[in-house]
Amino acid sequence: MSAPSELRLANGRLAALAWGEEAAPTWLALHGWLDNAASFSRLAPRLVERLGIRVVALDFAGHGHSDHLSRSADSPGAEGYALWDYCHDVLDAAESLGIERLTLLAHSMGAGVACLTAAAMPERLSQLVLIDGLGMVTTEAERAPGQLRRGLLAQRRAASPAPHYPDSETAVAARVAGGATAIDADAAAPLVERNLRVLESGRVGLRTDSRLLRPSPVRLSPEQALACLRAIRCPTLLVEGETGMLGGSERARAARSALRGLVRRVLPGGHHLHLEAGAVVEVADTIVGWSGDISHSAEE
């Protein structure tokens, strides 16, 4: 598999990795929370080879090699990363790449961003390929004041310094031990390696903006989230891991029911199944097969 090329998009604000020929149809890939473009380092080359496409995977703002939001000591309330703000990352990247109609390949939080973009801008979406993510984290209306309080108080505290480690192996072990979802060292390695920088001390530190760990002051309600899913019009494939985040929860069932025409495939693997050595081939097979079905339907 050939190495990806490094890109700077949106006037240099966003970093990205690209696989495939520049002239090929482009899929924009969106990673999960605290991950980065390397999330697609094992899946993208397989899709490029078999579908004849180009995959451009973003580092969202505050992640990987992309810029952090500006900090203001005089206005702490201006700081923060809202889920819907990442829709601008998607649209800005599309503008930089000259893409009018988008195919979004998205994992976890990136799937939430993809769903919001598809709901708000249906004319810009061609198709969605979601990996172990559908919709977004929500807060019930009656819990909104408490959520707002947590978010405001967190924003007014000084940001924590980024963690640092003696070497990359220790950083990978820390991700495995402390991640929000289960991940093994082999799957975590590409994510961690892209997220490291060498410090003057010789140790390695995380590039990720520590403010990403703060709770969101405002979230959509469950009703709003379902309304967004019902507004999606493009063909959508959802690839879930058997031990992933969605499964049979009430929230996941409601989300799947809200998105009409959704094609769901459940495969062996966890939340990062597109990075797992034992699962990525079947993930690629599933996406290629579905893409072929969509193409045939469009021709009929």
Side-chain angles (χ1 to χ4, degrees):
M1 299 181 186
S2 59
S5 56
E6 295 271 0
L7 302 180
R8 298 298 302 193
L9 305 172
N11 296 319
R13 181 174 68 86
L14 298 174
L17 294 176
W19 293 264
E21 299 296 327
E22 190 172 344
T26 299
W27 289 21
L28 202 57
L30 314 177
H31 63 78
W33 181 58
L34 301 182
D35 289 346
N36 52 62
S39 180
F40 300 95
S41 57
R42 295 174 179 170
L43 177 61
R46 290 175 165 86
L47 298 181
V48 165
E49 180 180 357
R50 298 179 61 184
L51 293 174
I53 60 173
R54 185 189 194 203
V55 175
V56 175
L58 297 183
D59 287 336
F60 280 130
H63 296 76
H65 290 235
S66 285
D67 291 352
H68 294 186
L69 295 182
S70 60
R71 297 172 183 262
S72 172
D74 298 327
S75 182
E79 300 175 2
Y81 291 85
L83 185 67
W84 40 84
D85 288 334
Y86 293 125
C87 296
H88 287 297
D89 289 354
V90 174
L91 296 171
D92 288 347
E95 183 175 326
S96 295
L97 294 165
I99 306 172
E100 183 60 32
R101 295 271 292 172
L102 289 160
T103 292
L104 298 179
L105 170 66
H107 171 244
S108 194
M109 183 192 78
V113 176
C115 288
L116 286 178
T117 306
M121 313 284 285
E123 72 280 6
R124 296 295 304 275
L125 267 292
S126 177
Q127 54 190 15
L128 292 177
V129 178
L130 310 178
I131 300 173
D132 215 59
L134 178 62
M136 56 290 308
V137 178
T138 60
T139 295
E140 293 80 2
E142 60 272 17
R143 295 175 55 202
Q147 183 70 34
L148 179 59
R149 174 182 172 81
R150 287 189 294 275
L152 291 177
L153 290 176
Q155 285 184 340
R156 300 192 68 80
R157 289 193 292 268
S160 302
H164 52 87
Y165 308 96
D167 50 47
S168 60
E169 291 79 10
T170 308
V172 169
R175 172 63 191 266
V176 171
T181 56
I183 188 171
D184 62 34
D186 180 67
L191 301 172
V192 174
E193 288 167 9
R194 183 165 176 79
N195 197 33
L196 292 180
R197 58 189 179 91
V198 180
L199 306 176
E200 290 184 4
S201 63
R203 293 169 68 87
V204 293
L206 300 184
R207 295 175 177 271
T208 308
D209 192 336
S210 60
R211 291 176 294 172
L212 291 164
L213 296 169
R214 293 172 172 174
S216 301
V218 178
R219 292 176 179 160
L220 296 181
S221 69
E223 294 80 9
Q224 289 173 315
L226 291 176
C228 287
L229 292 175
R230 285 193 288 268
I232 295 173
R233 297 287 179 266
C234 62
T236 303
L237 170 67
L238 171 61
V239 180
E240 294 183 31
E242 286 181 349
T243 57
M245 287 185 62
L246 300 178
S249 70
E250 182 179 347
R251 184 186 72 85
R253 288 197 299 270
R256 289 190 292 259
S257 297
L259 210 167
R260 51 186 161 174
L262 176 70
V263 175
R264 180 194 183 207
R265 299 286 184 265
V266 181
L267 305 179
H271 182 55
H272 285 83
L273 69 164
H274 61 305
L275 270 171
E276 295 173 8
V280 64
V281 172
E282 191 168 358
V283 173
D285 289 344
T286 300
I287 295 172
V288 170
W290 176 82
S291 183
D293 290 343
I294 292 297
S295 298
H296 292 152
S297 297
E299 293 170 0
E300 292 175 355

